[in-house]
PDB file of all heavy atoms in Angstrom:
ATOM      1  N   LEU X  75    -147.209-221.629 -50.445  1.00 98.00           N
ATOM      2  CA  LEU X  75    -146.892-222.204 -49.141  1.00 98.00           C
ATOM      3  C   LEU X  75    -148.065-222.087 -48.159  1.00 98.00           C
ATOM      4  O   LEU X  75    -148.837-221.127 -48.193  1.00 98.00           O
ATOM      5  CB  LEU X  75    -145.687-221.486 -48.535  1.00 98.00           C
ATOM      6  CG  LEU X  75    -144.305-222.041 -48.858  1.00 98.00           C
ATOM      7  CD1 LEU X  75    -143.235-221.059 -48.405  1.00 98.00           C
ATOM      8  CD2 LEU X  75    -144.086-223.392 -48.190  1.00 98.00           C
ATOM      9  N   ASP X 114    -139.638-218.730 -47.647  1.00 96.00           N
ATOM     10  CA  ASP X 114    -139.545-219.156 -46.249  1.00 96.00           C
ATOM     11  C   ASP X 114    -138.270-219.976 -46.125  1.00 96.00           C
ATOM     12  O   ASP X 114    -137.351-219.821 -46.921  1.00 96.00           O
ATOM     13  CB  ASP X 114    -140.799-219.937 -45.849  1.00 96.00           C
ATOM     14  CG  ASP X 114    -141.149-219.762 -44.377  1.00 96.00           C
ATOM     15  OD1 ASP X 114    -140.217-219.722 -43.549  1.00 96.00           O
ATOM     16  OD2 ASP X 114    -142.350-219.661 -44.039  1.00 96.00           O
ATOM     17  N   VAL X 115    -138.179-220.847 -45.144  1.00 96.00           N
ATOM     18  CA  VAL X 115    -136.944-221.588 -44.900  1.00 96.00           C
ATOM     19  C   VAL X 115    -136.609-222.498 -46.078  1.00 96.00           C
ATOM     20  O   VAL X 115    -135.488-222.511 -46.589  1.00 96.00           O
ATOM     21  CB  VAL X 115    -137.054-222.404 -43.598  1.00 96.00           C
ATOM     22  CG1 VAL X 115    -135.803-223.259 -43.395  1.00 96.00           C
ATOM     23  CG2 VAL X 115    -137.275-221.481 -42.410  1.00 96.00           C
ATOM     24  N   GLU X 116    -137.581-223.284 -46.513  1.00 96.00           N
ATOM     25  CA  GLU X 116    -137.370-224.187 -47.650  1.00 96.00           C
ATOM     26  C   GLU X 116    -137.705-223.458 -48.945  1.00 96.00           C
ATOM     27  O   GLU X 116    -138.760-222.835 -49.048  1.00 96.00           O
ATOM     28  CB  GLU X 116    -138.230-225.440 -47.503  1.00 96.00           C
ATOM     29  CG  GLU X 116    -137.844-226.283 -46.297  1.00 96.00           C
ATOM     30  CD  GLU X 116    -138.736-227.486 -46.103  1.00 96.00           C
ATOM     31  OE1 GLU X 116    -139.956-227.376 -46.356  1.00 96.00           O
ATOM     32  OE2 GLU X 116    -138.222-228.539 -45.704  1.00 96.00           O
ATOM     33  N   TYR X 127    -144.884-217.424 -50.725  1.00 98.00           N
ATOM     34  CA  TYR X 127    -146.102-216.683 -50.429  1.00 98.00           C
ATOM     35  C   TYR X 127    -146.242-215.681 -51.574  1.00 98.00           C
ATOM     36  O   TYR X 127    -145.285-214.979 -51.925  1.00 98.00           O
ATOM     37  CB  TYR X 127    -145.985-215.977 -49.082  1.00 98.00           C
ATOM     38  CG  TYR X 127    -145.672-216.938 -47.954  1.00 98.00           C
ATOM     39  CD1 TYR X 127    -144.371-217.067 -47.466  1.00 98.00           C
ATOM     40  CD2 TYR X 127    -146.668-217.731 -47.397  1.00 98.00           C
ATOM     41  CE1 TYR X 127    -144.073-217.962 -46.441  1.00 98.00           C
ATOM     42  CE2 TYR X 127    -146.380-218.622 -46.377  1.00 98.00           C
ATOM     43  CZ  TYR X 127    -145.082-218.742 -45.900  1.00 98.00           C
ATOM     44  OH  TYR X 127    -144.795-219.621 -44.905  1.00 98.00           O
ATOM     45  N   ILE X 150    -149.670-226.752 -43.023  1.00 96.00           N
ATOM     46  CA  ILE X 150    -148.400-226.275 -42.474  1.00 96.00           C
ATOM     47  C   ILE X 150    -147.319-227.340 -42.617  1.00 96.00           C
ATOM     48  O   ILE X 150    -147.503-228.487 -42.224  1.00 96.00           O
ATOM     49  CB  ILE X 150    -148.564-225.896 -40.991  1.00 96.00           C
ATOM     50  CG1 ILE X 150    -149.678-224.846 -40.835  1.00 96.00           C
ATOM     51  CG2 ILE X 150    -147.252-225.370 -40.421  1.00 96.00           C
ATOM     52  CD1 ILE X 150    -150.094-224.618 -39.401  1.00 96.00           C
ATOM     53  N   HIS X 151    -146.180-226.916 -43.183  1.00 94.00           N
ATOM     54  CA  HIS X 151    -145.027-227.792 -43.320  1.00 94.00           C
ATOM     55  C   HIS X 151    -143.835-227.152 -42.620  1.00 94.00           C
ATOM     56  O   HIS X 151    -143.108-226.362 -43.222  1.00 94.00           O
ATOM     57  CB  HIS X 151    -144.680-228.024 -44.797  1.00 94.00           C
ATOM     58  CG  HIS X 151    -145.459-229.117 -45.450  1.00 94.00           C
ATOM     59  ND1 HIS X 151    -144.945-230.374 -45.689  1.00 94.00           N
ATOM     60  CD2 HIS X 151    -146.730-229.146 -45.899  1.00 94.00           C
ATOM     61  CE1 HIS X 151    -145.858-231.113 -46.264  1.00 94.00           C
ATOM     62  NE2 HIS X 151    -146.949-230.393 -46.407  1.00 94.00           N
ATOM     63  N   PRO X 152    -143.614-227.446 -41.330  1.00 94.00           N
ATOM     64  CA  PRO X 152    -142.418-226.921 -40.666  1.00 94.00           C
ATOM     65  C   PRO X 152    -141.178-227.307 -41.468  1.00 94.00           C
ATOM     66  O   PRO X 152    -141.153-228.388 -42.068  1.00 94.00           O
ATOM     67  CB  PRO X 152    -142.440-227.615 -39.308  1.00 94.00           C
ATOM     68  CG  PRO X 152    -143.888-227.977 -39.105  1.00 94.00           C
ATOM     69  CD  PRO X 152    -144.406-228.322 -40.468  1.00 94.00           C
ATOM     70  N   PRO X 153    -140.184-226.441 -41.546  1.00 94.00           N
ATOM     71  CA  PRO X 153    -139.986-225.203 -40.760  1.00 94.00           C
ATOM     72  C   PRO X 153    -140.553-223.936 -41.402  1.00 94.00           C
ATOM     73  O   PRO X 153    -140.181-222.843 -41.024  1.00 94.00           O
ATOM     74  CB  PRO X 153    -138.463-225.120 -40.685  1.00 94.00           C
ATOM     75  CG  PRO X 153    -138.022-225.675 -42.019  1.00 94.00           C
ATOM     76  CD  PRO X 153    -138.982-226.789 -42.329  1.00 94.00           C
ATOM     77  N   ASN X 154    -141.451-224.088 -42.383  1.00 96.00           N
ATOM     78  CA  ASN X 154    -142.012-222.930 -43.085  1.00 96.00           C
ATOM     79  C   ASN X 154    -143.201-222.378 -42.303  1.00 96.00           C
ATOM     80  O   ASN X 154    -144.342-222.776 -42.526  1.00 96.00           O
ATOM     81  CB  ASN X 154    -142.431-223.339 -44.498  1.00 96.00           C
ATOM     82  CG  ASN X 154    -141.283-223.982 -45.264  1.00 96.00           C
ATOM     83  OD1 ASN X 154    -140.208-223.412 -45.381  1.00 96.00           O
ATOM     84  ND2 ASN X 154    -141.500-225.188 -45.737  1.00 96.00           N
ATOM     85  N   LEU X 155    -142.918-221.448 -41.395  1.00 96.00           N
ATOM     86  CA  LEU X 155    -143.937-220.983 -40.446  1.00 96.00           C
ATOM     87  C   LEU X 155    -144.165-219.467 -40.506  1.00 96.00           C
ATOM     88  O   LEU X 155    -144.767-218.895 -39.601  1.00 96.00           O
ATOM     89  CB  LEU X 155    -143.524-221.378 -39.020  1.00 96.00           C
ATOM     90  CG  LEU X 155    -143.263-222.881 -38.782  1.00 96.00           C
ATOM     91  CD1 LEU X 155    -142.700-223.095 -37.390  1.00 96.00           C
ATOM     92  CD2 LEU X 155    -144.536-223.692 -38.974  1.00 96.00           C
ATOM     93  N   ARG X 156    -143.706-218.826 -41.559  1.00 95.00           N
ATOM     94  CA  ARG X 156    -143.693-217.357 -41.613  1.00 95.00           C
ATOM     95  C   ARG X 156    -145.070-216.723 -41.418  1.00 95.00           C
ATOM     96  O   ARG X 156    -145.210-215.724 -40.722  1.00 95.00           O
ATOM     97  CB  ARG X 156    -143.099-216.915 -42.953  1.00 95.00           C
ATOM     98  CG  ARG X 156    -142.901-215.410 -43.078  1.00 95.00           C
ATOM     99  CD  ARG X 156    -142.061-215.090 -44.297  1.00 95.00           C
ATOM    100  NE  ARG X 156    -141.692-213.687 -44.352  1.00 95.00           N
ATOM    101  CZ  ARG X 156    -140.815-213.171 -45.196  1.00 95.00           C
ATOM    102  NH1 ARG X 156    -140.210-213.970 -46.062  1.00 95.00           N
ATOM    103  NH2 ARG X 156    -140.540-211.892 -45.187  1.00 95.00           N
ATOM    104  N   VAL X 158    -147.999-218.459 -40.415  1.00 97.00           N
ATOM    105  CA  VAL X 158    -148.903-219.425 -39.777  1.00 97.00           C
ATOM    106  C   VAL X 158    -150.059-218.731 -39.063  1.00 97.00           C
ATOM    107  O   VAL X 158    -151.220-219.136 -39.191  1.00 97.00           O
ATOM    108  CB  VAL X 158    -148.134-220.330 -38.797  1.00 97.00           C
ATOM    109  CG1 VAL X 158    -149.091-221.068 -37.869  1.00 97.00           C
ATOM    110  CG2 VAL X 158    -147.306-221.341 -39.574  1.00 97.00           C
ATOM    111  N   SER X 229    -139.698-234.500 -36.967  1.00 86.00           N
ATOM    112  CA  SER X 229    -139.264-233.108 -37.130  1.00 86.00           C
ATOM    113  C   SER X 229    -140.263-232.113 -36.550  1.00 86.00           C
ATOM    114  O   SER X 229    -139.922-230.964 -36.278  1.00 86.00           O
ATOM    115  CB  SER X 229    -139.041-232.802 -38.607  1.00 86.00           C
ATOM    116  OG  SER X 229    -140.244-232.996 -39.348  1.00 86.00           O
ATOM    117  N   SER X 230    -141.510-232.567 -36.358  1.00 91.00           N
ATOM    118  CA  SER X 230    -142.552-231.679 -35.838  1.00 91.00           C
ATOM    119  C   SER X 230    -142.715-231.759 -34.329  1.00 91.00           C
ATOM    120  O   SER X 230    -143.375-230.904 -33.725  1.00 91.00           O
ATOM    121  CB  SER X 230    -143.900-232.007 -36.497  1.00 91.00           C
ATOM    122  OG  SER X 230    -143.851-231.781 -37.884  1.00 91.00           O
ATOM    123  N   LEU X 233    -142.672-228.812 -31.765  1.00 94.00           N
ATOM    124  CA  LEU X 233    -143.772-227.844 -31.789  1.00 94.00           C
ATOM    125  C   LEU X 233    -144.901-228.230 -30.836  1.00 94.00           C
ATOM    126  O   LEU X 233    -145.744-227.396 -30.496  1.00 94.00           O
ATOM    127  CB  LEU X 233    -144.339-227.715 -33.214  1.00 94.00           C
ATOM    128  CG  LEU X 233    -143.365-227.217 -34.288  1.00 94.00           C
ATOM    129  CD1 LEU X 233    -144.023-227.320 -35.667  1.00 94.00           C
ATOM    130  CD2 LEU X 233    -142.946-225.781 -34.003  1.00 94.00           C
ATOM    131  N   ARG X 263    -148.426-232.396 -38.867  1.00 94.00           N
ATOM    132  CA  ARG X 263    -147.111-231.766 -38.770  1.00 94.00           C
ATOM    133  C   ARG X 263    -147.090-230.565 -37.837  1.00 94.00           C
ATOM    134  O   ARG X 263    -146.043-229.971 -37.618  1.00 94.00           O
ATOM    135  CB  ARG X 263    -146.640-231.331 -40.164  1.00 94.00           C
ATOM    136  CG  ARG X 263    -146.525-232.458 -41.170  1.00 94.00           C
ATOM    137  CD  ARG X 263    -146.029-231.951 -42.511  1.00 94.00           C
ATOM    138  NE  ARG X 263    -145.888-233.030 -43.472  1.00 94.00           N
ATOM    139  CZ  ARG X 263    -146.875-233.426 -44.276  1.00 94.00           C
ATOM    140  NH1 ARG X 263    -148.053-232.822 -44.230  1.00 94.00           N
ATOM    141  NH2 ARG X 263    -146.669-234.410 -45.124  1.00 94.00           N
TER     142      ARG X 263
END
Side-chain angles (χ1 to χ4, degrees):
L75 270 169
D114 211 321
V115 176
E116 296 177 323
Y127 303 100
I150 304 169
H151 275 258
N154 305 306
L155 304 173
R156 186 169 188 170
V158 165
S229 60
S230 297
L233 299 173
R263 301 181 179 89

